[in-house]
Amino acid sequence: MCVQVVANKFKIPRYVLFASPAGALATMLHMPELIKQGRLPIDPSKKEELIYDIPGVPPTRLADLPSPMQDANAYEYPFYARNCVEMHEATGVLINTFYELEPSYIDTLRQTVYGNVNGKEGHLLSILPVGPMLPKAYFTAGPEISANVEERDLCLQWLDTQPESSVLYVSFGSVAVLSIPQIQELAMGLEMSGQRFLLVLRAPLNPENLPLFPEGFEERTKGRGFVHVGWAPQLLVLSHRAVGGYLTHCGWNSTLEGICRGLPMLTWPIQAEQAMNARFLVDDVKAAIEVCTVTDGFISRERISTAIKRLLADPEGVIVKNNMQKLRDLALAAVGEGGSVQRNLENFLQELRSWKSS
């Protein structure tokens, strides 16, 4: 049963908790219209076409839309499409973002009438940015969060030996897995760049027991590189004084974590709404440099090496770093006393009181 049916039965408001950014919410709310226009599901021959009419969202390639929208044969497509329609009927949305990060997206969402689907009268959604929804430690002002020396992970012990802001942290999150050939090419790109790196990987399925890395890679990069296969303490890594950049798959939680620690990013989107997140970081807030797009296929070592050097060794990287540190300061202010997050939570409570008294 749809949650909205239950809310209507008991005459209570329904608020949706949305874990992705405001730009993804605008796209999701526009999905019924894209289906009506025949733009979704996507014709593979038209993936490079741009969509111009998503309210508040810059022109976007069809290929960069959230992956659950794209293929009608995918198991999540009907579920996602139904949720997009039902979202229109909600009273409001609590978004895992903060106003100062996406002001134009949020302003447009607040001014757009939704609910006018299936002949139902439209209304304005209450849009409440209440993120970043992260542990409190991400919002400390200091550059590093300490841990007991005896409890420090091996990768943290290695970071302790590195110069300040010199290491590129490479992680693709807890879901995405690169192919073994792509892992090997990534390793060669890291080596070719000449920069320091901490590479954290989820082990891929490897029934043929192929080597994860090129022969001699770890020996050749010993001292300036460290490889960690498995889980790593990401908060402590992102907060370490030695880490100066972050190569990420652009999952929204990882993106917010990097922003809150002030780390300039390299973008390598893989799935979900990550392609839109990457475009936002590179084009909108200019706090990241692109490694690749979601449709680029196999990424060469040369391309990887060039992007790394642009971030860590070129003047362009300084500009990106300064932009990211401004976003960090905005995030800390947003979650602080009297900040926009507190005001939005107070507005949410006031809306609930208003419903209760009406």
Side-chain angles (χ1 to χ4, degrees), residues 41-223:
I42 294 175
D43 180 339
S45 68
K46 298 180 179 180
K47 282 197 169 189
E48 294 301 315
E49 289 186 4
L50 296 177
I51 292 179
Y52 294 89
D53 63 340
I54 301 175
V57 177
T60 301
R61 286 193 316 164
L62 283 167
D64 290 333
L65 294 180
S67 53
M69 287 186 174
Q70 298 192 24
D71 183 4
N73 295 317
Y75 75 92
E76 67 266 44
Y77 181 88
F79 173 78
Y80 200 85
R82 185 175 70 251
N83 278 348
C84 291
V85 171
E86 293 173 355
M87 183 91 72
H88 285 228
E89 301 179 47
T91 303
V93 186
L94 303 169
I95 316 177
N96 186 21
T97 189
F98 56 102
Y99 177 81
E100 293 81 0
L101 181 62
E102 302 182 84
S104 62
Y105 292 78
I106 292 165
D107 286 342
T108 302
L109 282 166
R110 285 172 168 166
Q111 296 163 9
T112 304
V113 173
Y114 295 103
N116 51 347
V117 292
N118 299 328
K120 295 185 178 180
E121 184 179 353
H123 66 283
L124 292 173
L125 287 171
S126 176
I127 302 296
L128 299 161
V130 295
M133 290 186 280
L134 297 172
K136 185 178 179 181
Y138 275 100
F139 308 117
T140 61
E144 181 173 6
I145 297 166
S146 62
N148 295 331
V149 174
E150 62 271 15
E151 295 178 0
R152 288 179 85 78
D153 188 280
L154 288 176
C155 63
L156 295 175
Q157 293 179 33
W158 178 81
L159 285 172
D160 290 342
T161 69
Q162 301 302 307
E164 185 170 349
S165 300
S166 65
V167 175
L168 178 70
Y169 173 48
V170 181
S171 173
F172 294 89
S174 57
V175 176
V177 180
L178 300 182
S179 68
I180 291 178
Q182 185 64 82
I183 290 173
Q184 294 176 345
E185 196 72 5
L186 169 61
M188 293 306 298
L190 290 166
E191 180 179 349
M192 184 182 293
S193 75
Q195 303 299 311
R196 300 173 188 272
F197 64 88
L198 168 59
L199 172 59
V200 175
L201 288 171
R202 250 188 102 202
L205 293 175
N206 190 4
E208 299 178 11
N209 200 28
L210 298 172
L212 275 184
F213 304 108
E215 185 177 355
F217 164 71
E218 292 184 75
E219 291 76 14
R220 292 191 302 271
T221 58
K222 188 175 182 179

Side-chain angles (χ1 to χ4, degrees), residues 220-234:
R220 292 191 302 271
T221 58
K222 188 175 182 179
R224 70 172 179 88
F226 189 91
V227 174
H228 182 95
V229 179
W231 292 96
Q234 181 147 300

